[in-house]
Amino acid sequence: MSVSTPAQERTRRTILDAAVRVLTRDLSASLADVAAEAGVGRTTVHRYFPERNDLIVAIAADTRDKLTAAQARARLHEGPTLDALERLCVEFFDLAGQQMLLALDNPVFTTWSGWEDNPTERELRATIDRGRGAGELDPELDTRWIENLIWSFAYIAWISVNDDTGMSRHLTLQNCLRTLRKALAP
């Protein structure tokens, strides 16, 4: 395996980021569409991702890595549970586009696996259970319900920022956190 240069890593990152933007708008977008969005030639995209499926697998792995890193930065094991879940929502906020590609059993991304039963998912559930047990979260709300609510907030935030309403990122995040706190409080 060859070692890539910083310039190659930047180009790969540019292509991945462009692919997320393009595919969230149109799942049937081609590699040529991705190349145009990235500002590179189609042959450059093919050099990094020979087939469309290679790009899909790379986006899925990149998303999993980013979500895992974001969750680690949220420090779910520290402090009151609602504060920890707010930190998680803040960390996940900018990853909403990538999350949307993996959400709702999207058939284009069926190659992605591992989030449902990985350590970070278990840590999120443990945090929710800790909050429910300590009376910090509404004990009548099921753990999976709360978990799905958090993912739903990411979707709502993504839609709010990317639709025609023109809601600012700041207001969207503020609304998300306020709603989270009110919905989960005992």
Side-chain angles (χ1 to χ4, degrees):
M1 181 171 172
S2 65
V3 176
S4 56
T5 67
Q8 289 170 321
E9 285 301 316
R10 281 191 304 276
T11 300
R12 184 178 190 282
R13 173 87 267 142
T14 297
I15 294 168
L16 282 172
D17 292 344
V20 168
R21 289 190 303 274
V22 168
L23 291 171
T24 55
R25 292 189 306 257
D26 177 11
L27 282 175
S28 65
S30 67
L31 289 181
D33 296 329
V34 171
E37 178 77 16
V40 299
R42 202 176 82 208
T43 56
T44 300
V45 172
H46 282 285
R47 194 170 337 138
Y48 288 86
F49 307 101
E51 301 291 331
R52 189 173 191 275
N53 191 57
D54 298 321
L55 179 60
I56 299 301
V57 169
I59 290 170
D62 184 58
T63 301
R64 183 184 57 238
D65 293 346
K66 284 182 174 182
L67 289 172
T68 300
Q71 188 162 321
R73 287 190 305 272
R75 305 174 327 277
L76 293 180
H77 58 283
E78 292 180 15
T81 304
L82 274 172
D83 292 350
L85 294 177
E86 280 187 350
R87 288 192 302 270
L88 182 66
C89 285
V90 169
E91 290 293 336
F92 279 2
F93 187 73
D94 288 326
L95 301 175
Q98 284 185 266
Q99 291 176 55
M100 292 312 101
L101 291 176
L102 302 178
L104 306 174
D105 297 322
N106 186 328
V108 175
F109 287 87
T110 56
T111 57
W112 183 73
S113 64
W115 184 257
E116 273 302 308
D117 190 36
N118 75 21
T120 55
E121 186 70 8
R122 289 190 295 275
E123 181 185 10
L124 174 56
R125 288 184 192 136
T127 300
I128 294 167
D129 286 340
R130 172 177 59 93
R132 289 177 65 231
E136 296 176 309
L137 303 178
D138 186 336
E140 294 193 33
L141 293 176
D142 179 73
T143 298
R144 291 295 285 219
W145 179 263
I146 295 171
E147 179 185 5
N148 288 332
L149 185 67
I150 291 168
W151 292 115
S152 297
F153 280 161
Y155 175 75
I156 292 166
W158 180 74
I159 290 294
S160 297
V161 171
N162 289 292
D163 68 5
D164 293 332
T165 64
M167 186 178 285
S168 73
R169 297 174 63 73
H170 174 75
L171 181 57
T172 299
L173 182 58
Q174 188 177 37
N175 285 337
C176 178
L177 297 178
R178 181 176 174 86
T179 305
L180 177 79
R181 187 163 285 276
K182 287 184 173 275
L184 300 182

